[in-house]
Amino acid sequence: MKLAATARPVLGRPLVIALVVVLAALAALAGPAAIVSADPLPVTTLSLTAPASGRAGLPVPFTAVLEDEDSAPLAGRTVSLQRLGSGWATVRSGVTDGAGRVVIEAALPAGATRWRASYAGDGTTQAGSTSSEVSVTGVRHPSTLALSGPARLVDETTGTLSMLWTAADGSPVTGLMTVYRRLGSGAWTAYRRVRTAANGRGSVAVAPRVDSTWRAIGPAGTWWLADTSDDFRIDNVPPTAAVGYPAAAPRPAGTPTQGRAQGDGANAVVTAVPKAVWRSMVGRSWHRGCPVGRAGLRLLRINYWGFDGYRYRGEMVLSSAVASRAAGALRDMYAGRYPVRRMYRVDRFGWSRKLQGANDYTSMRADNTSAFNCRNVVNRPGVRSPHARGRAVDLNTWENPYHSATGLVPNSWWASRSHPRVAWRSGSHAVVRIWRSHGFRWTYGSADSQHVDGRATGRAGSFIG
């Protein structure tokens, strides 16, 4: 009986151990089941709206709204705006307001792009969420650049060119354009860069001295395309009336147009003869044996009215004894708007073996007004001309021919005709009266109507005529 009682606990121990193992296994299985049964984070919803299109390079508003699973707004949460490129990338972020709303502005690339809003959640009370995608197109509008201004501009005055730059949607373009000009038939050159204001308008002052053509080129910007204006032409017109030249009258030889006037009025300047001018004179209008040298001569530069109504600047060499008086006479001609065709120094026309001085034949055929020329009288070999002393002036030589020993030069058509502004056959003509008032004599009358003489009396500044 004792042996049986002792064996009973021995036989029960393995059974207990097995029961413990089974219970442990059941406990292990019960652990994961308890975790899975925990409550999930509340769901959030995120929506995104945006315009279908906008100007490329400029910001447009993207509106995101964040709500919980009961459609209640979630305030104070950070929402990211993302754009799809090679992958989704955050462009900008913002924080929702009390209505769960946030507006984020972002610049648009050109063309269509895909966007979305993203909320990361807070990891403890709300789950993250992502909105549906929206497509927005960045538009680059064609632009139109218009150029306007005066069709005619009086020489030596200033006009204004105006520009208006607008896009195809009617919006003004604010940008930097370049204004180009072409003077006469020359090449196009850049003139000025102009930035249009907020209303798309700009302007630039112009003062062309010849007929000119203008255009403006506006480069492409972020949201507009480039454009070039139509060419705009400005006719340069003279300040005074051109000479009414008779249709039947022969024309003088063509010569290069002189440079335009400098300064206001006649702007007469008398100086000693500069070295460069003297070098040009020697061997042409001056040579050894002349009765006056460089020290006794002066260079007069002065503005004059041309036959075409424009102002030019000419020059002549005269004796120091008459230079200031000649300047006064030419100044009065300028004030009265009595034109001069050309006023080149006569040495510009080269040497004449026949005249033994500068070529006065060529000078007359060019209708050139000049003074000093150490030469013989035209068509009288061996007889020295009064011009050799620099006290004589020949004016508008084509319209006022000379009755030489062998006939009329440089033409015969004008010999019997006059003109109220440029040709005179009587001492009562205004031009002759002007020169007489400054101590010059209309020496030969209508036989040499182009010629006036100023002679000193021996007293400085005193003349007889």
Side-chain angles (χ1 to χ4, degrees):
M1 295 297 293
K2 288 182 182 180
L3 289 173
T6 304
R8 200 175 294 131
V10 175
L11 292 174
R13 191 175 292 119
L15 185 60
V16 172
I17 293 172
L19 181 58
V20 171
V21 172
V22 170
L23 292 173
L26 291 174
L29 292 174
I35 295 173
V36 171
S37 65
D39 292 336
L41 293 177
V43 174
T44 57
T45 60
L46 185 60
S47 64
L48 181 67
T49 58
S53 63
R55 296 175 184 170
L58 299 185
V60 297
F62 291 82
T63 303
V65 177
L66 181 65
E67 298 175 332
D68 65 14
E69 58 188 357
D70 296 323
S71 299
L74 293 173
R77 270 62 169 190
T78 299
V79 173
S80 298
L81 178 65
Q82 298 179 333
R83 186 178 70 226
L84 180 62
S86 57
W88 286 102
T90 297
V91 177
R92 295 187 68 185
S93 298
V95 178
T96 58
D97 59 17
R101 181 175 177 271
V102 60
V103 178
I104 303 173
E105 291 195 343
L108 295 177
T113 48
R114 293 162 62 188
W115 302 77
R116 73 180 186 185
S118 177
Y119 170 57
D122 59 13
T124 59
T125 59
Q126 285 102 22
S129 57
T130 301
S131 72
S132 299
E133 297 176 17
V134 295
S135 179
V136 185
T137 300
V139 179
R140 299 184 76 196
H141 294 284
S143 70
T144 299
L145 185 51
L147 190 62
S148 60
R152 299 168 75 249
L153 195 60
V154 175
D155 189 54
E156 298 188 84
T157 62
T158 300
T160 300
L161 282 179
S162 299
M163 306 89 182
L164 176 60
W165 200 359
T166 56
D169 64 352
S171 303
V173 174
T174 302
L176 189 63
M177 69 180 72
T178 303
V179 177
Y180 290 83
R181 72 177 180 182
R182 183 173 65 192
L183 301 179
S185 58
W188 285 100
T189 58
Y191 175 70
R192 195 75 52 80
R193 300 186 78 189
V194 179
R195 182 176 294 279
T196 52
N199 60 1
R201 294 186 179 276
S203 63
V204 63
V206 298
R209 302 299 304 276
V210 296
D211 291 346
S212 56
T213 310
W214 303 78
R215 69 171 55 145
I217 298 178
T222 57
W223 61 271
W224 68 85
L225 300 178
D227 190 49
T228 299
S229 72
D230 292 337
D231 290 350
F232 184 81
R233 179 180 171 84
I234 299 178
D235 290 334
N236 178 272
V237 296
T240 193
V243 171
Y245 212 71
R251 266 55 178 174
T255 53
T257 302
Q258 284 188 285
R260 291 296 179 86
Q262 299 174 11
D264 297 329
N267 190 23
V269 178
V270 178
T271 66
V273 178
K275 289 182 179 180
V277 172
W278 183 249
R279 284 196 298 268
S280 179
M281 291 170 59
V282 172
R284 297 181 178 92
S285 60
W286 186 92
H287 49 85
R288 291 186 182 278
C290 291
V292 61
R294 180 181 174 187
L297 297 172
R298 297 292 182 268
L299 177 67
L300 166 63
R301 292 188 172 101
I302 191 166
N303 297 334
Y304 66 89
W305 293 104
F307 276 40
D308 56 4
Y310 290 93
R311 299 195 320 139
Y312 296 95
R313 190 157 186 82
E315 60 182 18
M316 64 173 66
V317 175
L318 302 114
S319 164
S320 60
V322 301
S324 61
R325 289 296 183 93
L330 289 169
R331 190 182 295 114
D332 285 353
M333 284 185 65
Y334 178 94
R337 302 201 174 193
Y338 295 104
V340 171
R341 173 88 67 176
R342 294 286 187 270
M343 198 187 295
Y344 284 111
R345 301 190 320 270
V346 74
D347 56 275
R348 296 287 193 93
F349 297 90
W351 169 260
S352 168
R353 183 182 297 275
K354 184 176 181 179
L355 293 172
Q356 291 297 293
N359 197 331
D360 193 52
Y361 292 105
T362 305
S363 177
M364 283 192 290
R365 286 195 296 270
D367 204 4
N368 188 54
T369 292
S370 64
F372 172 74
N373 188 1
C374 189
R375 61 171 172 83
N376 294 332
V377 174
V378 169
N379 294 339
R380 291 187 66 184
V383 179
R384 179 169 283 171
S385 167
H387 288 274
R389 294 186 177 275
R391 296 176 180 172
V393 180
D394 285 344
L395 302 158
N396 290 348
T397 53
W398 183 259
E399 291 78 22
N400 297 280
Y402 164 51
H403 289 258
S404 77
T406 60
L408 285 160
V409 288
N411 72 83
S412 60
W413 191 92
W414 276 101
S416 60
R417 296 171 173 87
S418 63
H419 189 286
R421 298 178 69 194
V422 300
W424 37 90
R425 304 292 173 264
S426 165
S428 64
H429 193 281
V431 170
V432 177
R433 293 202 307 270
I434 285 172
W435 283 87
R436 280 177 169 168
S437 71
H438 287 275
F440 285 78
R441 183 173 61 179
W442 194 43
T443 310
Y444 307 110
S446 59
D448 189 3
S449 55
Q450 63 185 253
H451 184 102
V452 292
D453 278 303
R455 294 179 182 151
T457 63
R459 299 191 308 273
S462 179
F463 300 85
I464 60 174

